[in-house]
């Protein structure tokens, strides 16, 4: 089974599914992108084309996030391909490690009742982390577009509201009047601020990293041309000061900050959902229902 | 016209700089959070994982106000000058 031709072909197919979308993204960037002028360029997402009737622009961030999604799907298929009951391959070890870590995270932060949230949290973590990491390949990271993260934040806001409405919308609406009815405007503002702050936190961190990287690298180019500009010919144009510091900054802003923001986004999702769920009331009602059915049975 | 454009650009840059004064607040707050969590780890080294994840969580929340200021500053630098200039052009017309 594991060594057969069919298995190997499928493996190659999944690896292609992982790698090809990223290559397509780079090709698209090279084809549609404007040639760099060498100066400081801080722009938003590139618009590929605009759907005529509704005026909906298809931007680089949308395309890249779909490419990342396809790539993650390929990764999952590759890791879970040829799974057996007894762990034999390295990839199965890796896949089981990921799933176990994620389930442990959800169990610790949300409690055993919310274990059904584990796949969603894993999806958010993977999508966010890999989206931020695409900037290592020179692609436009979708998370540095406010629209993408705002979409995720609205999705999470819907989940939070659904968890709060678990015991009926009446209880949810009543929670706005607590602790005293005068707090109503404050409570409404804090409710609306949840998705906004989640979106801004993720977007702001990734975007500020991008801006600082561009500024530092442009500044170093200018500095090295000021220091060595008097040399004749191409010798004066070598930006020798650009060696080193931008790479360190990139490790911090692209790798560390991107993964940290993914973790924080997922953690906040878990805390808001499990915090908004009225557990005591839910358990009380469940007990009452159980008692009622038991009484009826008697 | 040129004077008005210059005032718009200068005030946008000034406003962005003033907005980023808000960075002081989260810096102090996160400094406190990290200092206290270092103390906690020193006192109870076995609780390091819990303390660290709680600290990162708190830092993320404390960072929010600074990030609001950052977004406002980015809007003032990259978006506001263009839209203000368009408004100016339309009023001059």
């Amino acid at each position: 089974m594991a060594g057969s031709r069919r298995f190997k072909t499928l493996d190659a197919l999944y690896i292609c599914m992982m790698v090809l979308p990223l290559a397509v993204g780079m090709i698209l960037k090279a084809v549609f992108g404007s040639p760099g002028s060498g100066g400081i360029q801080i722009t938003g997402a590139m618009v590929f084309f605009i759907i005529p009737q509704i005026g909906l622009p298809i931007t680089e961030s949308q395309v890249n996030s779909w490419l990342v999604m396809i790539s993650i799907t390929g990764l999952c298929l590759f890791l879970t391909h040829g799974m057996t009951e007894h762990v034999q391959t390295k990839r199965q070890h890796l896949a089981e490690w990921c799933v176990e870590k994620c389930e442990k995270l959800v169990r610790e932060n949300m409690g055993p009742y919310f274990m059904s949230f584990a796949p969603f949290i894993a999806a958010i973590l993977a999508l966010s982390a890999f989206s931020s990491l695409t900037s290592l390949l020179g692609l436009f990271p979708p998370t540095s577009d406010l629209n993408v993260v705002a979409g995720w934040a609205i999705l999470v806001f819907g989940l939070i509201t659904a968890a709060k409405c678990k015991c009926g919308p009446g209880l949810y609406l009543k929670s706005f009047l607590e602790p005293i009815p005068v707090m109503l405007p404050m409570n409404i503002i804090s409710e609306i601020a949840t998705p906004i702050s989640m979106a801004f936190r993720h977007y702001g961190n990734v975007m500020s990293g991008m801006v600082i990287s561009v500024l530092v690298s442009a500044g170093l180019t200018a500095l090295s041309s000021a220091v060595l500009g008097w040399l004749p010919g191409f010798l004066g144009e070598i930006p020798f000061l650009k060696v080193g510091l931008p790479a360190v900054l990139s490790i911090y802003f692209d790798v560390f900050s991107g993964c940290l923001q993914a973790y924080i986004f997922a953690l906040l999702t878990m805390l808001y959902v499990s915090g908004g769920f009225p557990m005591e009331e839910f358990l009380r009602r469940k007990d009452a229902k159980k008692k009622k059915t038991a009484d009826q049975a008697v | 016209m040129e004077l008005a454009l210059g005032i718009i650009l200068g005030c946008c840059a000034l406003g962005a700089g003033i907005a980023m004064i808000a960075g002081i607040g989260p810096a102090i707050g996160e400094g406190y959070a990290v200092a206290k969590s270092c103390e906690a780890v020193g006192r109870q080294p076995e609780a390091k994982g819990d303390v660290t994840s709680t600290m990162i969580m708190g830092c993320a929340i404390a960072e929010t106000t600074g990030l609001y200021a950052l977004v406002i500053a980015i809007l003032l630098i990259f978006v506001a000058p263009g839209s203000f200039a368009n408004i100016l052009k339309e009023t001059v017309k």
Side-chain angles (χ1 to χ4, degrees), chain B residues 20-48:
Chain B
M20 283 317 290
I21 292 177
I24 294 173
I28 295 174
E30 286 183 23
Y32 265 121
V34 176
K36 290 286 177 190
S37 73
C38 284
E39 276 179 26
V41 171
R43 217 178 293 131
Q44 265 187 310
E46 68 273 11
K48 194 181 173 209

Side-chain angles (χ1 to χ4, degrees), chain A residues 42 197 200-201 204-205 207-208 263-264 267-268 271, chain B residues 53 56-57 60-61 63-64 67-68 70-71 74 78:
Chain A
I42 301 169
S197 76
F200 274 5
R201 185 175 300 125
N205 271 295
M207 174 75 188
S208 67
Y263 175 69
I264 285 171
L267 205 62
L268 277 178
L271 291 184
Chain B
S53 65
I56 288 174
M57 197 68 236
I61 303 270
E63 218 172 32
T64 312
L67 286 171
Y68 288 157
L70 176 80
V71 171
I74 285 175
F78 294 114

Side-chain angles (χ1 to χ4, degrees), chain A residues 110-127:
Chain A
M110 293 176 94
Y113 179 77
F114 289 99
M115 280 317 284
S116 55
F117 267 82
F120 176 72
I121 298 296
I124 283 241
L125 261 175
L127 186 55

